[in-house]
């Protein structure tokens, strides 16, 4: 697959309904990443959560290390590491080690911590989480420069002449991205430290319309410190499922989407119930959910690019189990076959070659009939009827260079 244009991958929280065997669920998560590596996807981001039952991976680094041994090319990141939960020196050391173990395929995704119940168990106030993420990134970026010892003290961690004893494998460093929803915090931090962005807000109501304004926040913050944001480092996170036609795709995921939304987001996390009669179709109309045929999903990505007002670097699909296992794996395969090439330029020369051949087929293939006729004549054999007629106008149009 040609690697220009957009990158594609998954954002694996993961989401597994309560009651499912957790050992098998984690095994499926790793199997999915292996399948994506086989299909040519670029990235997989693995989440960190500690409560609420559905998102059962507590240490994305462990999944990354295990899957790295089973894959060849796909890049593997934390999606995301909740920085307020960890001492920044430990975060850096773990990902530098992964950078070496994966030979440059590791990525660090950062966030303040999405589940308030996680922070509650650790005695962290929600009002402190974004500040702590900023302070942690200050330490992490300074440590990764490997220029001088870092000394700093906050109300929750301290560094005394801290330095890395192992520099990153990647030059100058592995990719780092910050999660952003609809608040300014994620974009501000990304701009301040010159980092990539994982826009989870693209997949919630109002998110696509806010994309351009969100990116502007990052650019303005970067300008304050003399940095420039790169749109190639901007990834949008949305829901996706594709099948051979729109109605089939909707039928495959409708029950699973309702179960996840009602059981987890509403009953467990307390999100107000939706009022729409058909929220799945409404999400498709709003562009926050890409469900349909490959053509429909491709048009949805085109709309997101337009709404960004300047372009994006990639699209990550929020890994879910709305459909059954076979339908889910098939969805990713259909996308890789029929949608991914449209945004990566790998079909340009293929299509061009076909059109050139088609437009010159008389000139190119016409002489072949004469050559076959001559072969029969030279052998003293009668020319079969199917080769007895020349192709009309065989030499009318000279082929173009």
């Amino acid at each position: 697959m040609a690697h220009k244009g957009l990158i594609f991958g998954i954002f694996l929280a993961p989401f597994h309904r309560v009651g499912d065997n957790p050992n098998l669920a984690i095994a499926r998560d790793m199997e999915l990443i292996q399948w994506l590596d086989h299909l040519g996807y670029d990235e997989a981001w693995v989440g960190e959560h500690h409560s609420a039952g559905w998102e059962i991976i507590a240490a994305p680094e462990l999944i990354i290390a295990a899957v790295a041994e089973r894959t060849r090319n796909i890049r593997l990141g934390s999606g995301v590491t909740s920085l307020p939960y960890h001492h920044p020196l430990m975060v850096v050391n773990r990902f530098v080690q992964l950078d070496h173990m994966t030979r440059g395929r590791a990525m660090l995704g950062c966030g303040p911590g999405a589940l308030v119940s996680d922070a509650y168990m650790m005695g962290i106030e929600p009002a402190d989480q974004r500040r702590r993420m900023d302070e942690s990134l200050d330490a992490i970026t300074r440590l990764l420069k490997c220029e001088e010892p870092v000394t700093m003290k906050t109300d929750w961690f301290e560094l005394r002449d801290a330095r890395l004893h192992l520099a990153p494998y990647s030059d100058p460093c592995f990719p780092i991205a910050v999660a952003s929803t609809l608040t300014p915090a994620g974009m501000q931090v990304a701009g301040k430290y010159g980092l990539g962005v994982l826009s989870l807000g693209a997949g919630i109501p109002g998110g696509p319309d806010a994309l351009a304004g969100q990116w502007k926040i990052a650019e303005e913050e970067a300008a304050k410190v003399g940095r420039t944001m790169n749109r190639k480092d901007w990834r949008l996170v949305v829901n996706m499922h594709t099948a051979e036609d729109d109605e089939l795709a909707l039928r495959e995921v409708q029950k699973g989407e309702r179960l996840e939304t009602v059981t987890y987001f509403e009953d467990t996390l307390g999100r107000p119930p939706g009022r729409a009669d058909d929220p799945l179709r409404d999400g498709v109309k709003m562009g926050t959910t890409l469900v349909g045929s490959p053509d429909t999903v491709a048009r949805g990505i085109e709309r997101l690019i337009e709404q960004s007002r300047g372009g994006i670097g990639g699209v990550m699909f929020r890994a879910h189990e709305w459909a059954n296992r076979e339908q889910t794996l098939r969805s990713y395969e259909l996308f890789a076959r029929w949608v991914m090439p449209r945004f990566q330029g790998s079909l340009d020369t293929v299509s061009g070659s076909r059109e050139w051949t088609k437009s010159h087929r008389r000139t190119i293939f016409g002489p072949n009939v004469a050559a076959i006729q001559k072969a029969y004549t030279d052998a003293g054999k009668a020319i079969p009827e199917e080769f007895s007629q020349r192709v009309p106008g065989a030499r009318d149009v000279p082929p173009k260079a």
Side-chain angles (χ1 to χ4, degrees):
M1 191 69 71
H3 259 279
K4 63 181 180 180
L6 297 187
I7 59 172
F8 293 101
I10 60 166
F11 192 86
L12 180 74
F15 291 98
H16 300 302
R17 60 184 292 188
V18 175
D20 193 356
N21 185 326
N23 293 330
L24 294 179
I26 292 174
R28 282 199 309 278
D29 292 335
M30 293 193 287
E31 177 192 45
L32 174 58
I33 297 175
Q34 289 177 263
W35 179 235
L36 299 180
D37 181 58
H38 169 73
L39 292 174
Y41 284 79
D42 301 287
E43 298 178 350
W45 300 79
V46 183
E48 174 195 354
H49 302 88
H50 305 276
S51 59
W54 276 66
E55 302 169 87
I56 57 175
I57 292 176
E61 300 93 336
L62 296 180
I63 301 294
I64 291 170
V67 174
E69 295 297 309
R70 309 177 191 186
T71 56
R72 297 178 59 188
N73 300 305
I74 194 167
R75 295 187 293 273
L76 304 164
S78 58
V80 296
T81 298
S82 299
L83 295 184
Y85 306 165
H86 309 276
H87 194 288
L89 181 61
M90 298 298 99
V91 173
V92 174
N93 282 335
R94 289 198 295 268
F95 277 86
V96 167
Q97 181 174 328
L98 282 174
D99 192 30
H100 282 264
M101 292 172 63
T102 63
R103 294 295 193 269
R105 288 195 285 145
M107 306 176 294
L108 171 60
C110 304
L115 282 179
V116 178
S117 49
D118 291 352
Y120 177 86
M121 291 191 296
M122 287 178 271
I124 301 171
E125 296 298 324
D128 293 332
Q129 287 178 256
R130 288 170 177 80
R131 171 182 61 83
R132 287 191 175 194
M133 177 179 71
D134 189 338
E135 292 169 343
S136 180
L137 276 172
D138 184 18
I140 288 169
T141 53
R142 290 168 62 184
L143 286 165
L144 284 170
K145 290 179 180 178
C146 298
E147 293 176 349
E148 57 186 18
V150 179
T151 297
M152 63 184 293
K153 186 173 183 178
T154 71
D155 61 349
W156 65 285
F157 76 83
E158 181 177 2
L159 292 170
R160 285 184 281 182
D161 290 331
R163 69 202 73 195
L164 300 185
H165 65 169
L166 184 64
Y169 176 88
S170 301
D171 184 23
C173 181
F174 45 83
I176 304 176
V178 180
S180 171
T181 52
L182 291 179
T183 69
M187 287 296 191
Q188 288 176 326
V189 170
K192 179 178 180 180
Y193 297 106
L195 307 176
V197 176
L198 289 159
S199 283
L200 281 72
I204 62 179
D209 293 330
L211 288 175
Q214 289 278 299
W215 187 252
K216 186 177 180 181
I217 292 172
E219 289 183 320
E220 291 173 347
E221 200 67 28
K224 293 178 183 178
V225 292
R227 300 183 188 275
T228 302
M229 293 296 290
N230 188 345
R231 286 178 177 264
K232 289 186 177 181
D233 298 326
W234 187 15
R235 302 160 177 86
L236 308 186
V237 181
V238 295
N239 296 301
M240 187 279 293
H241 182 81
T242 189
E244 281 73 7
D245 62 69
D246 291 349
E247 290 303 316
L248 177 59
L250 288 164
R251 286 198 303 272
E252 288 180 348
V253 301
Q254 193 159 27
K255 183 178 179 180
E257 184 277 331
R258 283 293 82 203
L259 187 148
E260 179 193 284
T261 298
V262 173
T263 303
Y264 183 42
F265 290 102
E266 295 177 6
D267 291 351
T268 303
L269 301 184
R271 190 174 75 181
R275 298 180 179 179
D277 294 331
D278 195 337
L280 182 60
R281 290 180 187 270
D282 287 350
V284 173
K285 291 177 182 176
M286 288 187 293
T288 58
T289 302
L290 307 179
V291 174
S293 68
D295 285 340
T296 296
V297 171
R299 287 195 297 270
I301 293 174
E302 289 168 353
R303 285 195 300 271
L304 289 171
I305 295 172
E306 291 172 3
Q307 288 169 304
S308 74
R309 297 182 188 175
I312 58 176
V315 180
M316 302 294 118
F317 302 125
R318 188 181 73 93
H320 53 70
E321 293 189 318
W322 291 354
N324 65 36
R325 176 179 176 275
E326 291 73 20
Q327 292 164 346
T328 299
L329 297 178
R330 174 69 170 158
S331 170
Y332 286 112
E333 181 181 10
L334 286 171
F335 184 89
R337 290 180 62 188
W338 302 111
V339 183
M340 196 183 294
R342 304 187 194 188
F343 297 94
Q344 294 184 327
S346 55
L347 293 182
D348 295 348
T349 54
V350 175
S351 299
S353 178
R354 177 189 179 276
E355 290 304 314
W356 180 86
T357 303
K358 178 181 176 181
S359 64
H360 299 96
R361 62 177 180 265
R362 290 185 179 275
T363 301
I364 296 169
F365 297 109
N368 190 50
V369 175
I372 293 173
Q373 291 173 340
K374 185 175 185 301
Y376 278 100
T377 302
D378 291 347
K381 303 293 184 182
I383 299 173
E385 184 176 352
E386 60 266 31
F387 297 116
S388 62
Q389 299 294 323
R390 295 284 306 250
V391 177
R395 299 184 183 276
D396 291 349
V397 182
K400 296 180 180 178

